[in-house]
Amino acid sequence: MGGREGDRHASHHRRRFPLSHRFGKPLIQAMLMQPHIMNVNTLQAKAASSPWIKEQLDQCTFKASLGMGGGMVLSSIANFFLALYLLNGKEPGSEAFVKALGTLNWAGTVVIGLPLLVIMMVVFMWLLNRIQRITGLERDDLLNPGKTVRRQVTSQ
């Protein structure tokens, strides 16, 4: 897609869920497209080199935001049902209620936190692979170089 049809398609994405796309900075941009994580300048320069690349990156960012948002929605639903299961029928303030809250704390980490971490990692790896295919850049070019020992040794 190119030209006006691509612009129409991209603007259609901005009007849809997730709301972060409508109100400025998409969720993925806020979380991952940061200078200390990604080489944002290289990515922006590549996007500016071609309208097709920019459109593909916008679509990719939108889909990744949907994945992250979906993971968070699933996590909140799981948390709600876990709380219902553990706290149902317990008198607030009772010893059983307090014990159930303690169980909710550690069970929430296992039942909600770990799956959400996996979802985030899958989305991030998908995003990196997709950006690599779209731009032709290598993973080392996309990620912020940082100041690791490996990079210091290989650059000498």
Side-chain angles (χ1 to χ4, degrees):
M1 274 186 221
R4 300 182 119 170
E5 187 176 328
D7 292 341
R8 216 175 316 126
H9 187 67
S11 68
H12 176 68
H13 278 307
R14 282 188 225 116
R15 286 181 273 156
R16 293 181 13 198
F17 177 82
L19 291 176
S20 62
H21 281 263
R22 182 177 175 112
F23 295 115
K25 198 169 204 175
L27 181 61
I28 285 295
Q29 297 237 344
M31 292 177 72
L32 299 175
M33 300 294 189
Q34 298 296 321
H36 59 280
I37 298 172
M38 301 285 283
N39 191 343
V40 178
N41 292 336
T42 300
L43 193 56
Q44 287 175 341
K46 196 68 166 176
S49 70
S50 163
W52 180 85
I53 290 176
K54 173 145 180 37
E55 179 185 341
Q56 293 298 308
L57 288 174
D58 287 346
Q59 287 179 11
C60 181
T61 304
F62 179 77
K63 288 177 183 176
S65 290
L66 282 177
M68 292 292 256
M72 290 179 186
V73 167
L74 287 175
S75 172
S76 64
I77 290 170
N79 191 31
F80 174 77
F81 284 111
L82 183 63
L84 275 181
Y85 173 74
L86 293 173
L87 300 175
N88 192 21
K90 311 246 182 340
E91 183 68 32
S94 68
E95 186 177 338
F97 185 80
V98 173
K99 283 184 179 180
L101 282 178
T103 303
L104 182 62
N105 277 337
W106 71 262
T109 301
V110 174
V111 173
I112 298 154
L114 293 178
L116 187 57
L117 177 67
V118 170
I119 290 170
M120 289 175 143
M121 291 304 296
V122 166
V123 167
F124 184 60
M125 295 310 291
W126 175 84
L127 181 65
L128 277 178
N129 288 331
R130 188 75 181 116
I131 290 173
Q132 281 179 269
R133 275 190 266 155
I134 292 168
T135 63
L137 296 170
E138 294 295 322
R139 186 167 292 187
D140 287 343
D141 297 329
L142 289 172
L143 297 176
N144 187 351
K147 295 180 175 38
T148 64
V149 173
R150 181 177 67 91
R151 293 210 184 266
Q152 291 173 0
V153 170
T154 57
S155 65
Q156 292 178 353

